[in-house]
Amino acid sequence: MVLLQLLCGLLLAFSLYGGARSATHIPRQSPLQDVVTWDQYSFKINGTRLALWGGEMHPYRLPVPSLYLDILQKIKATGFNTVSIYIFWGIMEAKRGEVSFEGFRDLQPFFDAAKKAGLYVITRPGPYINAETTGGGFPGWGTYTPGLWRTSNATYVEAYQNYIRSVGEKIAANEITKGGPVILFQAENEYTGWQEPYTEDFEYENRLLKDIRASGVTIPITTNDAFPGGHFVGVDVYGYDSYPNGFDCAHPYTWAPDAVPEWLWGARIAINPEDPNAMFENQGGAIDGWGGAGGANCAILTGPDFERVFYKNQFAMSTTVWSIYMLYGGTNWGGIAFPGSYTSYDYGASIAEDRTLREKYYEIKLQANFGRVSPAYLTTRPQNIGASQGSFTGNQALKTTQVLDVVGNKTGFYVVRQTDASTHDTQAYKLTVPTSLGTLTIPAIGGSLALHGRDSKIHVVDYSAGSTHLLYSSAEIFTWATIDGKDVIVLYGNSGEVHETAFTFKDTTVPTAKVVSGRGSIQQKTLSSTSLAIQFTTSGQTVVQVGDKTTLYILDRENAYQFWVPPSPSNFAHVTAPREPIIIKGGYLLRSATTSEGRLAIIGDLNATTSLEIIAPQALTKTGVTFNGKPVSELKKTNYGSLVGRVSAVLPDVKLPDLKSLTWKTADSLPEIKKDYFDDLWTIANHTETVNPTTPKTPVVLYASDYGYHTGNILWRAHFNATGKETGFKLDVWGGTAFGYSIWLDEIFVGSFAGDWVQGNYEGTFKFLKSLTQGSSHVLTVLQDHMGLNENWAGAGEDFKTPRGIMSYSFVGSDETVISVWKVAGNLGGEDYVDKTRGPLNEGGLFAERQGWHLPEFDDRKWTSGKPTDGLPQAGVAFYRTTFDLNIPDGLDYPLSLVISNSTTNPHFRSKLYVNGYQYGKYVNHVGPQTSFPVPHGILNYKGKNTLAVSLWAMDEGGAQLASLDLKLTAKIQTGFGPVVNAPLTVWTPRFRAF
Ligand code: GAL
């Protein structure tokens, strides 16, 4: 879907491309503050130049605020310094005029956590966000607000005022200018393509910028074009997005041959040469839709090889503002998703939905740390864009971009990758480059370098690491630090690769290098009276001493993955203030390292017993080292100055409930079809007009949103008197991709459209099983699924207004039958939703949901016993509840998932899973793909009682049941993070006018 959008965008952009800022563009804001400034190379904070490298998470996709810090520390631990967030208008202002920051919608805990983690924040509140969210972030009431959205149309501009003002004020209060972490404010989102005949609406852009400023925001305003197409360039700093590997997670090994987008540089420099190269979204995973391949596949499509090739291509373009979308995806709990996404928003991101770390996380860490210690990069320019093929290697199968520091000390970065990005071939090459010693061919000692398949490397020339001058290095740099007067440089390559690193010495004679630890060997050669080259194979870990001033750690990738440069906790200013030079080899995750009184305190997570190697000034460790508060055992000094020790992981088994042996209670959740059911509290669907751009084909409007119902299941009731000739009912229902519906005539099941992963609406004809007596009165009940509102990627488009409901209907055999009244039910209260804690998207319109049966402490004692794995024997909706206790000790991060196995008998059913009242799973058995539903600690109460509720909508005559339902651990981690505070697990209270 997004791919399509992008293609449309490309076409549109090339037809509309306006080039650099022109007279039609509004002038830039004059600076309102001097804390965040920029020039053509990079941003500066308080005058210090820095790269803003980081990635995206969405607080609303993790409704446990105490876990924000967990994710943010994980981001910080990669070496990144920035987190970018969307803010979702539709959940903040579900009812027009009432902007709510209640519960998980409160932004303050996120800003506080970012500050604590030491990350700068880019806020992206829209008003439009896309983000695979229902309506693309627009509120449901937008569907019945007339006028074109994402334009200067007054009705739209008025509609967003309240939200932009309220959210702007919160952001303004958390700007860096006021001591907060927020440094940038993104306006709109990919305002890049427009529905014909409309084009870019400069008046809207101008107006939005003014409205943002009016809310008190003084930091620079940015925007993200879908690609460098020159749209919305009136912002302070223009940037763009790039998803070079697309979204086909079903073919995760398929890369486009020409996918490495070198052209981005030329396009963007034509637009904003005076700004840094800013990529506000760079693919960090992929969307997966109903019937898709699953997040794990998306993680392969965008795995470590992808990161090496595509992220280093960004590096080749002097990208100093770079944000990965997503670093942590999270969960589309409740009705967050648009129809192209299911409950999981794992995204195949570096930090998986259950908050564990994928291998790709560790690859990012290598690159981010390199950026952090390479200030020369901040003033670079790529020198040979478009002419990189064969350059510097003479090998046409390779592209090498020369990225030179054009301001500072002339450091060069040479980014090498395959010309055909998709190839698995190995290319041997030599790099011939200008250096301070004249033109050199690397390796100088002999042999050649090699690029193995989908890989890319950054070779440095004339690079400073403290007082050590690297003449060049083909082995990549992870980090370096000056420790007790010596420069420690951590180099890495793939296992078994030959690399060469050379040094220039100013004041001393050329020393010899010697291996002081590890099994690797080196060859060395004096290149001149001032320079020495060493050649080595990267495998395992080898430590080499070069003279008495430089120590090299030579690692293969596996070993490099284990190295960390742990930040000092709460050191918000660390990017601009000197930090303690501490490097630690330490396994799964190191969150922070602090020193006091000669004792080093490391906080981290373990998934196995791990050896540590601590490379730190002696004074910082002289009275010991602790890991998560406990002294590190077997601490020893190595012969080359570091400290080694061991930390044991204690990963005890924990008792989990066996869900099938619990006591479950069940009740019918479709009493609406019963004879004695009164629908007097239902909303009468009696509008004869709508402003919706889709013209209804029915006498009264049957669009759920026109009656205030924007999420979850929708029920319709049609009352009629029979002519006696009716033999069936034909109807066209719209619900979004993978939706379905079922129909009952009075109490009798008529039929279902079970749904598939393609159709977003379906016209079906359903036969009545009984003939109707002339004059008899009847009720048709239609239960439909609502998969979220469409997104609205095109400006001036109205896709998000695409109705959910009944588009047309007729009786088969009887044109004259008149439906006397249509009624509709959605979530209780509609826009006046009841559960303010869990927000407007948590509940749908099922009877059970309207009654609040999914909530803790609802009294189900009078219900009968029955389990979702027993199911129900006919079409209908049943609801199940059970409770269980958990007792998982503090200090363990044991993520849990609810796991369902696919049913092949009676496959057509839909279930929703509620954990302590939070809807944490929407399962469509016959569509898939998701069968494992991660539920975070904090939604699950790890220390006490939990309520689990399940709805089961059997869509076939034969009924349905869950083949199995289990609570399973997805990882066992011992963590230094904590404590986790439960999200508010508010309990059931009587619901006014629940029906
Ligand atoms: C971008 C968009 C994001 C998200 C992403 C795909 O184009 O800005 O909001 O939809 O695509 O995941």
Side-chain angles (χ1 to χ4, degrees):
M1 158 128 354
V2 168
L3 199 61
L4 253 181
Q5 292 171 345
L6 284 181
L7 281 176
C8 297
L10 273 170
L11 288 175
L12 274 163
F14 286 121
S15 58
L16 302 174
Y17 177 62
R21 296 163 200 276
S22 70
T24 42
H25 297 132
I26 52 163
R28 284 162 174 246
Q29 306 290 327
S30 54
L32 300 167
Q33 46 79 39
D34 56 8
V35 181
V36 188
T37 57
W38 73 96
D39 63 14
Q40 70 269 42
Y41 299 115
S42 77
F43 272 98
K44 294 174 196 169
I45 291 185
N46 290 319
T48 303
R49 200 177 272 294
L50 81 172
L52 298 175
W53 279 11
E56 182 98 2
M57 73 169 287
H58 298 147
Y60 59 83
R61 282 184 160 120
L62 179 64
V64 185
S66 67
L67 284 177
Y68 295 158
L69 187 63
D70 175 52
I71 303 294
L72 295 170
Q73 286 183 342
K74 284 169 178 164
I75 294 175
K76 178 80 173 186
T78 62
F80 280 159
N81 60 9
T82 308
V83 62
S84 165
I85 59 166
Y86 275 137
I87 302 166
F88 185 166
W89 177 12
I91 54 167
M92 316 286 289
E93 193 181 4
K95 184 172 187 192
R96 186 164 180 168
E98 293 179 13
V99 179
S100 168
F101 293 93
E102 236 179 298
F104 73 97
R105 288 165 292 193
D106 189 358
L107 301 170
Q108 200 55 48
F110 184 84
F111 293 140
D112 293 345
K115 193 167 168 179
K116 196 160 180 200
L119 287 170
Y120 295 121
V121 180
I122 303 175
T123 52
R124 311 200 301 156
Y128 183 71
I129 59 171
N130 213 59
E132 290 71 74
T133 52
T134 178
F138 282 157
W141 50 264
T143 62
Y144 59 78
T145 305
L148 281 175
W149 282 46
R150 305 184 74 192
T151 72
S152 52
N153 190 305
T155 49
Y156 167 64
V157 171
E158 274 161 30
Y160 76 62
Q161 287 304 318
N162 234 325
Y163 166 67
I164 283 295
R165 189 181 52 247
S166 314
V167 90
E169 283 168 3
K170 297 274 179 198
I171 292 169
N174 286 280
E175 280 186 2
I176 191 165
T177 56
K178 301 198 178 74
V182 186
I183 52 165
L184 298 176
F185 186 117
Q186 180 183 302
E188 256 286 354
N189 187 81
E190 295 191 338
Y191 193 58
T192 301
W194 292 270
Q195 185 161 289
E196 280 192 358
Y198 298 95
T199 53
E200 184 169 355
D201 187 337
F202 300 110
E203 200 182 319
Y204 166 44
E205 295 173 353
N206 204 353
R207 181 62 207 254
L208 181 58
L209 294 178
K210 273 200 190 125
D211 291 333
I212 293 168
R213 289 290 178 220
S215 73
V217 170
T218 69
I219 46 177
I221 300 179
T222 62
T223 204
N224 63 331
D225 212 349
F227 53 89
H231 308 109
F232 205 169
V233 296
V235 293
D236 296 320
V237 177
Y238 166 91
Y240 58 98
D241 297 347
S242 173
Y243 289 80
N245 240 6
F247 301 93
D248 186 3
C249 300
H251 299 99
Y253 300 99
T254 306
W255 289 17
D258 58 350
V260 177
E262 211 183 348
W263 62 273
L264 292 172
W265 173 263
R268 91 94 198 165
I269 207 83
I271 299 162
N272 63 334
E274 70 274 36
D275 295 338
N277 189 21
M279 178 165 280
F280 289 112
E281 288 179 30
N282 195 181
Q283 179 162 25
I287 310 169
D288 197 44
W290 291 101
N297 263 37
C298 301
I300 298 172
L301 180 72
T302 57
D305 49 355
F306 164 87
E307 295 178 325
R308 289 200 287 274
V309 172
F310 292 92
Y311 295 170
K312 287 178 188 175
N313 184 62
Q314 256 354 97
F315 189 94
M317 285 182 276
S318 299
T319 310
T320 58
V321 185
W322 178 49
S323 187
I324 294 174
Y325 187 102
M326 304 290 298
L327 271 185
Y328 172 71
T331 309
N332 288 318
W333 62 282
I336 285 176
F338 88 129
S341 240
Y342 45 89
T343 307
S344 173
Y345 198 66
D346 176 85
Y347 211 76
S350 288
I351 307 171
E353 186 179 3
D354 67 358
R355 297 178 291 103
T356 57
L357 307 177
R358 292 193 159 109
E359 184 189 335
K360 53 190 284 193
Y361 173 92
Y362 297 92
E363 172 58 36
I364 283 179
K365 173 161 62 83
L366 299 182
Q367 298 184 31
N369 273 287
F370 172 55
R372 197 163 133 191
V373 294
S374 304
Y377 176 67
L378 296 174
T379 45
T380 53
R381 280 289 174 264
Q383 301 296 308
N384 58 332
I385 290 284
S388 59
Q389 190 172 348
S391 287
F392 304 102
T393 63
N395 183 341
Q396 292 301 313
L398 295 174
K399 285 185 170 183
T400 303
T401 307
Q402 182 189 40
V403 186
L404 290 184
D405 177 4
V406 293
V407 172
N409 57 12
K410 306 295 181 227
T411 298
F413 301 88
Y414 292 83
V415 186
V416 181
R417 60 263 194 229
Q418 305 271 2
T419 300
D420 172 354
S422 69
T423 186
H424 291 281
D425 291 352
T426 293
Q427 292 298 332
Y429 64 98
K430 290 183 177 161
L431 197 69
T432 302
V433 290
T435 75
S436 52
L437 207 69
T439 299
L440 291 175
T441 295
I442 307 165
I445 298 181
S448 55
L449 305 173
L451 192 73
H452 299 281
R454 294 173 169 183
D455 197 6
S456 173
K457 292 181 187 300
I458 304 171
H459 304 311
V460 297
V461 170
D462 287 311
Y463 180 98
S464 295
S467 55
T468 303
H469 183 82
L470 292 179
L471 179 58
Y472 60 80
S473 180
S474 77
E476 293 184 271
I477 297 168
F478 166 67
T479 191
W480 61 265
T482 305
I483 294 173
D484 290 339
K486 268 192 185 178
D487 298 322
V488 176
I489 307 171
V490 184
L491 300 172
Y492 69 95
N494 290 322
S495 179
E497 275 175 3
V498 171
H499 284 288
E500 206 173 270
T501 300
F503 309 84
T504 307
F505 303 90
K506 257 200 224 122
D507 309 321
T508 53
T509 50
V510 174
T512 47
K514 61 174 192 288
V515 173
V516 293
S517 162
R519 269 179 268 155
S521 57
I522 52 169
Q523 278 183 274
Q524 48 195 311
K525 183 177 171 186
T526 306
L527 297 182
S528 74
S529 59
T530 56
S531 58
L532 171 76
I534 64 169
Q535 193 176 91
F536 48 85
T537 301
T538 44
S539 75
Q541 173 173 323
T542 302
V543 183
V544 172
Q545 210 78 57
V546 183
D548 54 5
K549 285 269 183 296
T550 308
T551 305
L552 301 180
Y553 279 71
I554 296 173
L555 311 172
D556 61 14
R557 187 177 302 285
E558 278 291 299
N559 274 276
Y561 280 165
Q562 297 169 43
F563 274 70
W564 302 85
V565 185
S568 317
S570 307
N571 192 354
F572 174 55
H574 116 247
V575 277
T576 52
R579 70 189 163 80
E580 302 286 14
I582 301 169
I583 302 168
I584 303 175
K585 183 181 187 185
Y588 182 73
L589 169 67
L590 297 189
R591 294 173 185 267
S592 67
T594 11
T595 55
S596 88
E597 292 166 12
R599 177 175 284 252
L600 181 70
I602 305 169
I603 303 292
D605 292 19
L606 301 170
N607 62 356
T609 292
T610 302
S611 37
L612 293 179
E613 180 164 353
I614 298 149
I615 309 156
Q618 286 193 21
L620 302 185
T621 57
K622 63 176 188 288
T623 61
V625 179
T626 60
F627 189 90
N628 294 344
K630 293 206 184 104
V632 173
S633 61
E634 301 166 38
L635 208 59
K636 281 199 292 277
K637 201 161 181 180
T638 62
N639 60 334
Y640 52 95
S642 63
L643 278 178
V644 289
R646 250 164 88 83
V647 279
S648 315
V650 184
L651 301 166
D653 287 339
V654 290
K655 209 169 148 275
L656 294 180
D658 175 20
L659 299 185
K660 61 183 171 304
S661 58
L662 298 175
T663 305
W664 287 83
K665 292 298 194 71
T666 185
D668 176 26
S669 180
L670 195 67
E672 294 95 335
I673 61 169
K674 295 276 155 51
K675 246 198 214 93
D676 54 2
Y677 181 80
F678 287 105
D679 59 17
D680 46 337
L681 289 176
W682 284 44
T683 305
I684 298 171
N686 58 359
H687 299 182
T688 52
E689 282 176 6
T690 179
V691 296
N692 196 293
T694 305
T695 310
K697 296 181 191 151
T698 50
V700 288
V701 181
L702 299 176
Y703 302 164
S705 271
D706 280 42
Y707 301 97
Y709 301 121
H710 310 299
T711 190
N713 297 98
I714 308 290
L715 288 105
W716 301 94
R717 276 164 70 83
H719 295 257
F720 67 97
N721 285 331
T723 60
K725 289 185 286 181
E726 300 86 351
T727 58
F729 196 59
K730 184 176 177 183
L731 75 174
D732 183 9
V733 183
W734 292 23
T737 314
F739 91 116
Y741 58 95
S742 298
I743 309 162
W744 285 265
L745 173 62
D746 304 323
E747 291 194 37
I748 300 169
F749 176 61
V750 177
S752 290
F753 166 64
D756 53 40
W757 58 277
V758 181
Q759 298 179 83
N761 70 296
Y762 184 80
E763 182 166 42
T765 304
F766 301 88
K767 249 196 191 158
F768 293 157
L769 292 177
K770 62 172 188 186
S771 49
L772 308 183
T773 314
Q774 188 185 358
S776 57
S777 57
H778 301 275
V779 180
L780 275 168
T781 303
V782 180
L783 165 60
Q784 73 160 103
D785 217 340
H786 181 317
M787 313 306 282
L789 299 170
N790 289 358
E791 289 180 324
N792 209 82
W793 191 82
E798 302 200 273
D799 208 16
F800 86 105
K801 295 183 177 175
T802 305
R804 303 288 177 245
I806 299 173
M807 194 51 54
S808 67
Y809 65 85
S810 57
F811 285 89
V812 182
S814 176
D815 287 344
E816 331 66 286
T817 310
V818 175
I819 289 180
S820 56
V821 58
W822 273 101
K823 293 193 174 184
V824 58
N827 66 300
L828 185 65
E831 291 167 10
D832 286 308
Y833 58 97
V834 186
D835 188 344
K836 301 290 186 227
T837 306
R838 297 172 183 83
L841 299 175
N842 191 54
E843 297 172 13
L846 290 179
F847 184 82
E849 296 173 298
R850 300 189 322 251
Q851 299 292 324
W853 290 356
H854 54 290
L855 294 167
E857 303 304 320
F858 172 76
D859 184 358
D860 59 16
R861 276 175 302 178
K862 294 207 181 92
W863 289 14
T864 54
S865 295
K867 302 174 183 176
T869 43
D870 298 334
L872 70 170
Q874 73 283 320
V877 185
F879 203 76
Y880 304 88
R881 289 174 50 91
T882 191
T883 59
F884 58 85
D885 286 345
L886 288 175
N887 185 9
I888 300 179
D890 289 339
L892 298 180
D893 187 359
Y894 279 21
L896 288 163
S897 266
L898 284 165
V899 182
I900 300 176
S901 54
N902 187 261
S903 298
T904 45
T905 46
N906 294 329
H908 299 136
F909 69 88
R910 291 162 187 262
S911 277
K912 286 192 232 171
L913 310 174
Y914 283 94
V915 179
N916 294 322
Y918 288 81
Q919 192 200 125
Y920 247 82
K922 178 160 171 164
Y923 176 70
V924 184
N925 181 66
H926 54 287
V927 178
Q930 191 177 4
T931 54
S932 177
F933 296 85
V935 184
H937 184 177
I939 293 298
L940 274 165
N941 176 11
Y942 272 37
K943 285 240 164 4
K945 189 170 170 186
N946 289 278
T947 302
L948 173 61
V950 178
S951 66
L952 176 63
W953 168 9
M955 305 186 85
D956 286 342
E957 224 149 10
Q961 73 275 342
L962 264 58
S964 68
L965 176 64
D966 292 289
L967 188 65
K968 290 189 177 164
L969 289 177
T970 52
K972 281 170 108 179
I973 312 284
Q974 186 187 325
T975 183
F977 179 79
V980 178
V981 180
N982 287 341
L985 307 179
T986 47
V987 300
W988 184 87
T989 48
R991 294 189 150 201
F992 181 61
R993 287 169 77 85
F995 60 92

